[in-house]
Amino acid sequence: MACLRLLSRTLKSDKPILGPLAKLSWPFPNPNPSFTTRPFSTSFLITKTPDKFKKKRKKPESARTKPVQHDSTRLQHFESLVTRDARFRFLTRSKEFITKQPDRILRLDDAGKLYRELGFPRGRKVTRFIPRHPLVFQTYRHSDGKMWLGFSDLMEDLLEEERDLMDSMELDRVNRVRKLLMMTKDKRILLSKIHHTRLIFGIPDDFRDRVGKYPDYFRVVTGQDGNRILELVNWDPNLSVSELERTFMVDEDKARRAFKFPLKHGKELELGEKDTRKLNQLNTLPLVSPYSDGWKLDVWTLEAEKYRVGIVHEFLSLTLEKRASIHHIVEFKDEFSLTRQTYQMLKKQPSTFYLAGTEMNWTVFLKDGYNGDGVLISKDPQVLFNEKLYKFADMQQMDNDSRPIKR
């Protein structure tokens, strides 16, 4: 105890603890005698928790990377189609862009700057993507000494085949556009919007020039901003029957199971699961036709939601692959009177729609258009052509029998 008291007095005093010992001559004198150090250092004590022992907080997942579906509800055959689109993005965009160039060729130096138009990530070299499809693209040196990018002979033949296909399917595409116009609020759509979404409907690139052949169906006018607008001329009652109405006439029970609009009721009713299902089915029907004036309904009423669900259902039924991305749907947001709650609205209808991808870039599938294995039940000729193109694009070479050899 005496030692502890002595140590306590020494620490409280201003005198150095060494006392007379500090006057001793050390073998290595202090080079800076004016600098005094505390006799007892606490630097060896751990005053903060090391980073390796700290509990790391998980960063909240952003909508850019967060999947729409949980692992328990994910359908891999739909997700794989979204992955396939990403894998062939360079092929599809380059095909569209180079086809419009003179002689269908593009200087390689210029191609490296057109990452958005050709569909490859910014900062990457285009030469990394061209060799992935050797049966489709080819490069050669021009007489000017520059390298140029163009199509192979096989691809040139495929493009001619596609042009003939577009000509044979022209009337079908015209009717699809007519139905789109009949669903809109003002029966008119900007021609640029139809052009931007042409691939999902199989509409040819020169459709803006072909509409002049159908004056009984369409009228092209110029808006106040100078943009060209496609207007509907005549209403056709035969086209104003939605896919849901056709399904209802064939299989009423299937139409009843398509959507769920739960009816709110008090717990005092004590309804069982079966009775609740019947009550909800009564609330589901009748549906509101997408070819009606449903846009006049109060936005937040049940009937208005039925109308918007029917609009999206009919929109998807008009697409070639019975699916569309958020960007395609938002393109017609004003024409179809859709709200910002479209994502949540479709999430509430898992029996009919499947949302794949991420929350920022999702694709909605119409389940009725696919079988249990995720294969389209009815394939449009353009879909069959696209599948053949993807098949050749995924090959490295062809054997003597002109049959593709997979990698």
Side-chain angles (χ1 to χ4, degrees):
M1 290 296 292
C3 293
L4 291 177
R5 290 194 190 97
L6 177 62
L7 179 61
S8 176
R9 291 195 205 100
T10 306
L11 290 176
K12 290 180 180 179
S13 65
D14 295 334
K15 297 180 180 180
I17 190 171
L18 296 180
L21 294 178
K23 301 179 180 179
L24 295 177
S25 60
W26 298 94
F28 302 97
N30 187 358
N32 188 6
S34 62
F35 179 77
T36 58
T37 58
R38 291 293 179 180
F40 296 102
S41 174
T42 59
S43 60
F44 64 92
L45 297 177
I46 300 176
T47 57
K48 292 192 300 184
T49 305
D51 292 341
K52 63 179 180 179
F53 294 119
K54 288 183 178 179
K55 188 176 181 181
K56 296 182 179 179
R57 295 182 180 179
K58 291 184 178 180
K59 293 182 179 180
E61 204 166 5
S62 67
R64 186 182 299 275
T65 59
K66 185 178 181 181
V68 175
Q69 300 290 341
H70 188 267
D71 291 342
S72 60
T73 59
R74 187 170 300 168
L75 299 178
Q76 192 56 41
H77 49 263
F78 287 139
E79 301 288 346
S80 62
L81 290 176
V82 177
T83 304
R84 186 200 68 177
D85 291 347
R87 184 159 56 93
F88 289 116
R89 184 177 293 115
F90 175 75
L91 169 69
T92 53
R93 291 195 183 180
S94 297
K95 168 179 167 286
E96 291 294 317
F97 186 80
I98 298 177
T99 303
K100 301 173 186 177
Q101 304 305 309
D103 300 324
R104 292 177 177 173
I105 57 175
L106 181 65
R107 196 167 65 174
L108 203 57
D109 291 341
D110 297 332
K113 305 172 186 177
L114 303 172
Y115 62 91
R116 186 178 290 106
E117 291 80 359
L118 300 183
F120 63 92
R122 184 177 184 179
R124 300 286 182 88
K125 293 184 178 180
V126 68
T127 51
R128 290 185 55 182
F129 297 88
I130 297 173
R132 295 182 182 180
H133 314 295
L135 298 184
V136 176
F137 301 106
Q138 67 177 12
T139 57
Y140 64 93
R141 190 172 296 278
H142 199 264
S143 57
D144 59 1
K146 297 289 186 178
M147 293 294 295
W148 290 72
L149 171 64
F151 295 125
S152 65
D153 293 338
L154 172 64
M155 185 60 178
E156 292 287 354
D157 294 338
L158 289 174
L159 291 175
E160 293 303 320
E161 179 183 342
E162 185 179 30
R163 177 174 289 276
D164 295 338
L165 176 62
M166 290 286 187
D167 294 339
S168 64
M169 300 297 295
E170 181 173 304
L171 186 57
D172 175 81
R173 306 318 191 218
V174 166
N175 287 333
R176 289 174 190 259
V177 176
R178 291 172 68 191
K179 290 174 73 71
L180 283 174
L181 287 169
M182 292 169 67
M183 285 194 296
T184 59
K185 179 173 62 174
D186 299 321
K187 309 302 178 283
R188 57 192 312 193
I189 302 176
L190 284 170
L191 271 170
S192 59
K193 292 189 176 184
I194 297 177
H195 183 74
H196 291 162
T197 57
R198 67 190 183 280
L199 295 181
I200 66 172
F201 298 110
I203 298 173
D205 182 67
D206 59 348
F207 180 78
R208 288 174 288 190
D209 300 326
R210 299 192 186 202
V211 293
K213 297 162 54 178
Y214 303 94
D216 295 335
Y217 301 154
F218 308 117
R219 179 190 304 115
V220 179
V221 298
T222 304
Q224 296 180 353
D225 53 1
N227 293 324
R228 292 198 297 170
I229 304 172
L230 189 66
E231 284 188 347
L232 183 70
V233 174
N234 292 317
W235 180 275
D236 189 346
N238 295 323
L239 295 178
S240 61
V241 181
S242 67
E243 191 65 27
L244 278 174
E245 291 172 312
R246 292 192 184 94
T247 302
F248 183 81
M249 289 185 287
V250 176
D251 189 348
E252 182 177 344
D253 292 335
K254 183 178 179 181
R256 287 181 179 273
R257 294 191 302 268
F259 302 108
K260 292 182 180 180
F261 299 99
L263 183 64
K264 294 182 180 180
H265 56 80
K267 294 182 179 180
E268 60 273 7
L269 291 179
E270 298 182 356
L271 296 177
E273 182 179 352
K274 187 176 180 181
D275 294 332
T276 302
R277 190 184 310 114
K278 289 183 178 180
L279 186 63
N280 290 337
Q281 286 182 352
L282 291 175
N283 196 37
T284 299
L285 295 177
L287 295 172
V288 181
S289 173
Y291 297 101
S292 66
D293 292 336
W295 55 272
K296 295 181 179 179
L297 298 169
D298 187 4
V299 176
W300 306 116
T301 59
L302 177 62
E303 287 73 18
E305 184 173 352
K306 290 181 181 181
Y307 169 73
R308 292 191 294 270
V309 167
I311 282 282
V312 177
H313 187 284
E314 186 70 1
F315 179 86
L316 295 176
S317 68
L318 293 176
T319 62
L320 298 180
E321 298 189 47
K322 312 307 176 192
R323 62 188 176 104
S325 72
I326 176 179
H327 309 292
H328 299 140
I329 297 174
V330 170
E331 193 80 38
F332 300 95
K333 176 179 176 292
D334 296 331
E335 288 82 357
F336 293 155
S337 302
L338 298 176
T339 67
R340 294 183 179 179
Q341 306 300 321
T342 300
Y343 172 80
Q344 298 297 336
M345 178 186 74
L346 298 178
K347 284 280 288 183
K348 293 189 297 185
Q349 308 296 341
S351 300
T352 300
F353 304 116
Y354 178 84
L355 274 62
T358 62
E359 291 184 352
M360 181 172 288
N361 188 18
W362 48 270
T363 299
V364 55
F365 289 79
L366 188 62
K367 284 187 172 181
D368 291 343
Y370 294 82
N371 61 21
D373 298 326
V375 179
L376 277 170
I377 298 174
S378 178
K379 292 187 177 182
D380 185 270
Q382 181 67 45
V383 174
L384 296 174
F385 172 84
N386 291 340
E387 290 180 349
K388 181 168 67 172
L389 175 61
Y390 295 154
K391 176 183 175 182
F392 282 109
D394 217 16
M395 307 296 171
Q396 276 296 76
Q397 61 182 4
M398 299 177 69
D399 61 7
N400 296 329
D401 298 330
S402 298
R403 291 178 300 183
I405 300 177
K406 289 189 176 181
R407 289 185 244 191

